[in-house]
Amino acid sequence: MRTNIPQLRKARKLSQQELADAVGITRQTITSIEVGRYTASLELAYKIARYFGLTIEEVFDFSELEE
Amino acid sequence: MFIKELFACKTANVEEYRRLVQGRQRLLRALCALGVLAELAAFFAVPRLVAAGAHGEFCKGFYTGVGLALIVCGIVGERRLAALLRNEEKLKQARCRDKDERLQEINRRAQLAAGLATLAVLYGVMLAGGLVSFELLVFSAAVVLVFFVSFIAFHCYYERRL
């Protein structure tokens, strides 16, 4: 699944480690989500979206699921 | 219930995780005790119960090796957890790794793959080994049967839980 996390992080000058610490996961998991190798659970997606102050749809691209 | 709590991944806070780690420490101490029992069996029970010769020597070596491995793993693991409990920052990092959903998924998939590989090997042993040894055939068939029966039982259990 594609995500806007790299762009959102860069806009806020946030490292992967800082985001990982904020949502309580490892940096490797953030990397995997960013490159689309791992799809975050609903709970984690919610935590990440809430951290950025956005909705889940604004952070994660669900267009592949809609096809 | 006790084992379930020891391997629970979701802890509300660091203090709850600390108690979880302390529980794991107790489990490792129990592992050490099992190792000591295996050593005692190797030195006192095996020479009396198992016939002397190559088979008896193998059994003694096996029990000694397993016992020593359990003792060493228990001591090393327990010391590592004790060091973790003394360092607040490392404890937080360990909690983070424990509740990381991707790592949990990796563990789940690895366990599934290992389980299937073990089953495949046992099935092969059952078919090929059965030609030369009846005991091997019965043992392999029993283990494969236990796997399927426990799978069905746990499937029913989780179907009601989830």
Side-chain angles (χ1 to χ4, degrees):
Chain A
M1 180 182 282
R2 283 195 297 271
T3 78
N4 298 321
I5 296 174
Q7 295 89 319
L8 291 166
R9 275 197 309 105
K10 277 171 194 150
R12 288 163 173 78
K13 292 188 172 59
L14 203 66
S15 70
Q16 286 184 331
Q17 187 65 60
E18 285 167 324
L19 177 60
D21 290 342
V23 294
I25 55 171
T26 61
R27 184 189 58 76
Q28 289 85 348
T29 299
I30 292 290
T31 307
S32 291
I33 293 169
E34 284 188 358
V35 298
R37 212 166 42 217
Y38 176 72
T39 303
S41 67
L42 180 63
E43 188 182 335
L44 180 57
Y46 173 73
K47 278 183 185 173
I48 293 171
R50 196 178 61 170
Y51 179 78
F52 286 120
L54 300 168
T55 62
I56 291 176
E57 290 92 333
E58 287 170 317
V59 179
F60 295 89
D61 180 7
F62 291 95
S63 58
E64 284 174 16
L65 292 179
E66 287 162 4
E67 282 169 10
Chain B
M1 193 68 187
F2 173 67
I3 297 292
K4 192 180 167 188
E5 279 177 14
L6 283 180
F7 295 100
C9 298
K10 291 199 173 184
T11 45
N13 50 48
V14 178
E15 273 317 302
E16 206 173 289
Y17 184 68
R18 184 185 293 278
R19 284 195 293 278
L20 187 82
V21 172
Q22 285 165 345
R24 288 178 185 168
Q25 267 187 313
R26 284 193 289 277
L27 191 72
L28 287 167
R29 285 182 202 128
L31 206 67
C32 268
L34 278 178
V36 171
L37 281 178
E39 291 296 329
L40 289 174
F43 287 102
F44 298 108
V46 172
R48 288 179 191 176
L49 300 174
V50 183
H55 186 58
E57 282 303 305
F58 174 80
C59 269
K60 193 177 175 188
F62 181 80
Y63 275 71
T64 310
V66 168
L68 198 66
L70 286 177
I71 292 169
V72 170
C73 286
I75 291 172
V76 171
E78 205 272 342
R79 289 293 87 205
R80 283 177 69 180
L81 291 183
L84 195 69
L85 288 172
R86 283 194 298 270
N87 190 325
E88 197 71 21
E89 195 52 42
K90 281 189 177 173
L91 190 68
K92 279 180 191 170
Q93 287 171 2
R95 179 174 174 249
C96 182
R97 278 196 305 276
D98 260 19
K99 72 185 181 108
D100 187 284
E101 61 177 45
R102 180 178 142 270
L103 294 179
Q104 286 172 17
E105 180 67 14
I106 289 169
N107 281 337
R108 199 186 64 80
R109 288 190 191 191
Q111 283 164 8
L112 180 71
L116 288 174
T118 307
L119 195 66
V121 168
L122 272 170
Y123 191 69
V125 167
M126 187 176 76
L127 291 182
L131 297 173
V132 290
S133 166
F134 179 70
E135 286 85 1
L136 203 59
L137 173 77
V138 171
F139 176 75
S140 311
V143 176
V144 171
L145 189 71
V146 166
F147 178 88
F148 281 115
V149 169
S150 57
F151 175 80
I152 291 166
F154 283 120
H155 194 279
C156 292
Y157 170 76
Y158 284 115
E159 212 166 36
R160 280 199 295 271
R161 293 288 301 250
L162 298 175

